[in-house]
Amino acid sequence: MQQNGVLAATGTASGLADSISEVMLESGETLSVLDAETGEWDVRSWRAVHERAVEIATQLRDDHRGEPRAVGLIGDPTVDLIASVQGAWLAGAAVSILPGPVRGASEARWAENTHARFAGIGVRTVLGGGRELDLLSTIDGVLRVEPLSHYGVGADTSGFVPIQAAPDAPAILQGTAGSTGDPKTAVLSSTAVRTNTTAVIDRLQLDMARDIGVSWLPLYHDMGLTFLLAGMCSGIRLCIAPNSAFGASPFTWLGWLSDFQATITAAPNFAYDILGRYGRLIKDVDLTNVRVSISGGEPIDPDAFDKFLAVTARFGFDPAAAAPAYGMAESTCAVTMPAVGEGAQYDEVVVTPTEAGAAPLRRRYALLGKPLDGMEVRVVEPSVDVPVVENRDVGQIEIRGTSMMTGYLGHDDHAADDWFPTGDLGYLVDGRLVICGRAKEIVIVAGRNLFPVEVERAAARVAGVKRGGVVAVARGEGSARPGLVVVVEYRGADQEGARAAVTSEVASECGIVPAGVVFVGPGSVPRTTSGKLRRLETRRLVESGEWS
């Protein structure tokens, strides 16, 4: 039975904004957004958020002269920025949210590139605040850059009528991670956004009378945006913090869960890893209310996740709340997810490398749940040689379904019935998905194929090596020293000792001795804007001799 207030799955796709409006106006709950500078939470009723969205939509309609144009959003989350998502849809426009500059990057270059990227995908109005908006305002060009603090404020909304977009009209222009290539822009229709959000709400059994969500995930990332939309479309109490607040103090996440008595949250593997590794620092939190804690966005390390579960159990965290999931921007977000209460489950297998005579290794891979309603997953013959997993048919993962993009902007459309190659390698166990690695990132050394994530996890156990800052690559046969190279972000005084320890850990765990261990400073390994390792770019740096 449909939960009260939850966005309905039926009706026209153009009804996405109308359905959200209905939920916002019906819900008696609130949206809270943290101001990282003051530490204060801005708390508004969903009805007030809707009123702000209508103001913004009215101004957009007037500025665009009734012609829907894509709207860009920039800066830390605020109530106004979140209202702008619904405001854009009420104005019949698509939304694109882009990240700010990363630490150490040229702010001027970021502003130029972001301006060009917004303009290149059809954005003409950019709304936001903070330093990012100030930087973008310095660039001359086609964009109208406006601070959200006053945009639409006081507009006469009495006669506003939402602009109804066509069923296949874009709702979100979502940047992809670019972890294995150049980032692209996935065009997500109202239909895709509506069905994926509805499926997530259904799988999580969200109920505005019971649930409270807490997230610090960036809204420019598909997981962060979908978490927001699931809260917005179910009318639950929702608490959103900027990801910079988590980065500055990761343990505040547990504090927020405790203070708000949260029932739903989500984070990538590295966040659970940090809390598990430094669990002794956790104090005075109550996690007994958490019933769903999603892990997604990057490969899941079973050992690290189990350590998190063990550490937080003494604060009342229920292991059954753990929910390892799988998704991607091209499918709006979620593809597979376990049912509520399943907890973290693993497939324990024996993996035999492709090299003749190589010793088999025992491995655990996370079970990532079954496909959401409307989505399908299949495994096809891999295009590369992969390690043999005993009693499992490993292949390339393909997906299709109602949440899929209509295509990449500027590329051919993706037909609704076509299977989409994800680039991931894995298999199915009783209909539940398991991911082993990515086809483009397989490390081939002396005829032996390795999943790089397994080498990286082994190296990360060494003291001083940054967890999540390790990349395993294969140096080509044409180089002076071909073989496995492990690039590590290292903070410590004893590099030679650490090099020997990394070599020993990798040899013991993976059965291969690295030809080289390259130390770089913290933050040096190339990453996407969402924090994923760019292994192909790292390999280029190694092979070019820039890192040796």
Side-chain angles (χ1 to χ4, degrees):
M1 184 174 71
Q2 181 181 314
Q3 300 289 343
N4 180 38
V6 172
L7 171 148
T10 58
T12 62
S14 60
L16 172 63
D18 290 339
S19 296
I20 294 175
S21 292
E22 183 179 346
V23 174
M24 282 181 157
L25 294 171
E26 177 184 336
S27 173
E29 295 301 331
T30 58
L31 168 69
S32 300
V33 183
L34 178 67
D35 183 326
E37 292 187 2
T38 66
E40 299 294 325
W41 292 86
D42 186 0
V43 183
R44 311 281 184 90
S45 69
W46 278 119
R47 178 176 289 272
V49 177
H50 182 266
E51 292 171 356
R52 185 72 182 99
V54 175
E55 286 185 334
I56 293 167
T58 301
Q59 187 70 55
L60 285 171
R61 180 198 60 188
D62 294 345
D63 288 349
H64 294 172
R65 299 179 181 180
E67 179 185 355
R69 302 297 296 265
V71 176
L73 301 178
I74 202 78
D76 278 348
T78 62
V79 169
D80 284 343
L81 189 139
I82 289 170
S84 296
V85 176
Q86 170 68 345
W89 291 341
L90 288 170
V95 169
S96 177
I97 308 177
L98 293 183
V102 298
R103 185 176 60 183
S106 165
E107 292 185 338
R109 180 65 60 83
W110 169 85
E112 293 171 357
N113 292 342
T114 300
H115 186 284
R117 190 171 179 189
F118 270 138
I121 61 178
V123 167
R124 290 299 176 265
T125 299
V126 178
L127 306 175
R131 177 66 174 161
E132 292 90 343
L133 197 75
D134 293 340
L135 290 169
L136 209 56
S137 299
T138 64
I139 307 299
D140 293 328
V142 299
L143 297 183
R144 176 174 183 159
V145 181
E146 296 281 353
L148 265 169
S149 56
H150 67 259
Y151 191 81
V153 173
D156 180 6
T157 62
S158 58
F160 178 79
V161 177
I163 297 175
Q164 297 296 319
D168 58 351
I172 298 174
L173 303 177
Q174 179 66 60
T176 63
S179 58
T180 58
D182 294 331
K184 301 181 180 68
T185 299
V187 180
L188 303 168
S189 69
S190 294
T191 299
V193 175
R194 185 186 184 95
T195 54
N196 196 251
T197 304
T198 303
V200 168
I201 290 171
D202 182 62
R203 185 63 57 90
L204 298 180
Q205 301 174 14
L206 293 185
D207 185 342
M208 73 168 65
R210 170 190 61 191
D211 285 313
I212 301 170
V214 168
S215 172
W216 49 266
L217 299 170
L219 299 185
Y220 58 78
H221 190 272
D222 56 284
M223 189 161 70
L225 183 56
T226 296
F227 192 99
L228 168 67
L229 295 181
M232 183 183 292
C233 294
S234 59
I236 66 172
R237 185 182 180 190
L238 194 60
C239 309
I240 302 293
N243 62 304
S244 59
F246 170 85
S249 179
F251 292 97
T252 55
W253 176 30
L254 299 186
W256 300 329
L257 296 178
S258 179
D259 293 344
F260 290 109
Q261 298 182 315
T263 63
I264 306 287
T265 193
N269 180 83
F270 82 86
Y272 294 100
D273 179 29
I274 290 173
L275 299 186
R277 294 179 76 187
Y278 301 101
R280 66 185 182 281
L281 302 177
I282 302 173
K283 298 178 181 178
D284 303 326
V285 293
D286 178 4
L287 305 177
T288 55
N289 293 288
V290 179
R291 66 179 190 85
V292 177
S293 189
I294 300 167
S295 179
E298 62 184 18
I300 293 166
D301 181 345
D303 293 339
F305 203 50
D306 281 352
K307 187 176 294 186
F308 165 82
L309 296 178
V311 163
T312 55
R314 69 179 189 272
F315 300 103
F317 187 91
D318 183 357
Y326 173 79
M328 58 194 320
E330 290 84 351
S331 62
T332 304
C333 183
V335 176
T336 68
M337 188 179 293
V340 172
E342 281 189 15
Q345 299 184 24
Y346 309 112
D347 189 35
E348 299 191 20
V349 295
V350 175
V351 180
T352 303
T354 54
E355 180 188 20
L361 306 166
R362 298 200 66 84
R363 290 285 181 265
R364 291 196 303 161
Y365 296 120
L367 295 171
L368 304 176
K370 294 183 178 181
L372 298 181
D373 290 346
M375 293 301 295
E376 298 177 76
V377 176
R378 74 176 183 181
V379 181
V380 300
E381 191 72 21
S383 58
V384 296
D385 290 334
V386 298
V388 176
V389 180
E390 188 177 33
N391 298 322
R392 301 288 184 257
D393 294 323
V394 178
Q396 295 188 193
I397 305 299
E398 295 186 344
I399 61 175
R400 69 178 180 184
T402 53
S403 297
M404 292 302 300
M405 66 177 180
T406 54
Y408 293 119
L409 197 66
H411 295 69
D412 292 339
D413 286 349
H414 175 77
D417 293 335
D418 285 351
W419 288 94
F420 178 78
T422 66
D424 289 313
L425 297 169
Y427 55 90
L428 297 171
V429 177
D430 298 327
R432 293 180 291 179
L433 180 63
V434 172
I435 296 294
C436 304
R438 289 189 64 81
K440 290 183 179 180
E441 295 173 348
I442 285 290
V443 174
I444 305 174
V445 181
R448 179 174 177 179
N449 291 13
L450 301 166
F451 294 125
V453 68
E454 296 175 358
V455 176
E456 293 157 6
R457 287 172 183 168
R461 298 191 184 104
V462 174
V465 173
K466 181 179 178 181
R467 193 90 179 212
V470 183
V471 178
V473 300
R475 193 159 48 197
E477 294 296 330
S479 66
R481 293 185 62 206
L484 173 67
V485 177
V486 185
V487 178
V488 299
E489 293 183 349
Y490 177 72
R491 187 191 298 274
D494 185 11
Q495 283 198 6
E496 289 309 309
R499 179 174 285 108
V502 167
T503 300
S504 176
E505 285 287 347
V506 172
S508 300
E509 182 68 21
C510 304
I512 189 168
V513 176
V517 177
V518 177
F519 289 104
V520 296
S524 299
V525 170
R527 291 173 172 82
T528 69
T529 55
S530 59
K532 294 180 180 179
L533 298 171
R534 299 189 65 178
R535 292 186 176 88
L536 298 186
E537 174 63 14
T538 303
R539 186 174 71 187
R540 185 193 69 77
L541 291 169
V542 170
E543 291 184 336
S544 68
E546 291 184 53
W547 284 353
S548 61

